[in-house]
């Protein structure tokens, strides 16, 4: 089975942040959030990618534009009284690392754009973490019924 179109996007963002943002102690897919984090292993980034689909042709199989939302959730310890500054400083490095889509992706993407950030908290069964979520949007082209094949 080939990987869904979301997977290479997620993998590319994870690889780029691991290579470029040394202050992060880990970068993981959102699925990693199902397990507890040790406060000594923070700050980390959790990456989530969602998509919506727009058909851009009427002939079958239809060409599709997948509009993706790439969420970078920066998590830090709520015990750190300076955590807002820590997460804001991290966001500078993350934004620099993801600024140019050609540096991030080895495939064609359309309209890569940073949409801003929103602070908040992230709750697990074990703890509450400080969170800053940064969002980028982009599009890729696929064909109906073939979400694992990116158009070039």
């Amino acid at each position: 089975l080939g990987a869904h179109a979301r997977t290479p996007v997620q993998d590319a963002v994870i690889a780029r942040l691991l290579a470029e943002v040394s202050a992060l102690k880990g970068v993981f897919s959102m699925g990693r959030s199902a397990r507890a984090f040790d406060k000594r292993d923070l700050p980390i980034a959790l990456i989530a990618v969602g998509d919506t689909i727009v058909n851009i042709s009427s002939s079958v199989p239809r060409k599709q534009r997948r509009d993706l939302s790439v969420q970078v959730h920066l998590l830090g310890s709520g015990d750190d009284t300076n955590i807002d500054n820590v997460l804001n400083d991290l966001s500078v490095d993350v934004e620099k690392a993801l600024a140019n889509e050609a540096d991030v992706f080895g495939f064609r993407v359309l309209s890569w754009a940073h949409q801003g950030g929103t602070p908040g908290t992230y709750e697990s069964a074990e703890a509450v973490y400080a969170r800053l979520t940064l969002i980028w949007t982009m599009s890729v082209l696929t064909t109906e019924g073939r979400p694992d094949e990116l158009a070039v």
Side-chain angles (χ1 to χ4, degrees):
L1 289 178
H4 192 281
R6 291 182 300 265
T7 303
V9 172
Q10 174 184 278
D11 292 348
V13 170
I14 289 171
R16 180 72 176 169
L17 294 181
L18 284 170
E20 297 295 323
V21 185
S22 61
L24 287 169
K25 294 186 179 176
V27 182
F28 308 99
S29 67
M30 197 65 188
R32 168 61 179 85
S33 66
R35 299 190 314 266
F37 301 107
D38 188 310
K39 290 181 183 177
R40 295 172 296 193
D41 295 332
L42 298 172
I44 63 166
L46 297 174
I47 310 305
V49 179
D51 65 345
T52 58
I53 298 169
V54 176
N55 290 323
I56 56 174
S57 72
S58 57
S59 59
V60 177
R62 291 184 282 264
K63 298 293 180 197
Q64 297 179 321
R65 186 186 75 228
R66 289 181 180 266
D67 297 325
L68 295 107
S69 171
V70 178
Q71 300 170 23
V72 177
H73 301 276
L74 300 174
L75 301 184
S77 173
D79 294 341
D80 184 344
T81 58
N82 199 30
I83 192 59
D84 290 329
N85 290 340
V86 169
L87 294 178
N88 283 328
D89 290 349
L90 270 174
S91 75
V92 170
D93 294 339
V94 169
E95 288 182 47
K96 287 180 179 179
L98 300 180
N100 183 358
E101 68 269 20
D103 293 335
V104 180
F105 304 104
F107 48 88
R108 181 177 175 214
V109 301
L110 308 171
S111 58
W112 176 248
H114 183 234
Q115 301 298 323
T118 304
T121 57
Y122 174 81
E123 297 182 35
S124 73
E126 295 79 22
V128 177
Y129 305 98
R131 174 185 48 83
L132 178 60
T133 299
L134 305 173
I135 297 175
W136 281 260
T137 55
M138 62 179 287
S139 298
V140 295
L141 300 176
T142 59
T143 301
E144 185 175 37
R146 292 186 231 145
D148 57 337
E149 296 177 15
L150 297 178
V152 290

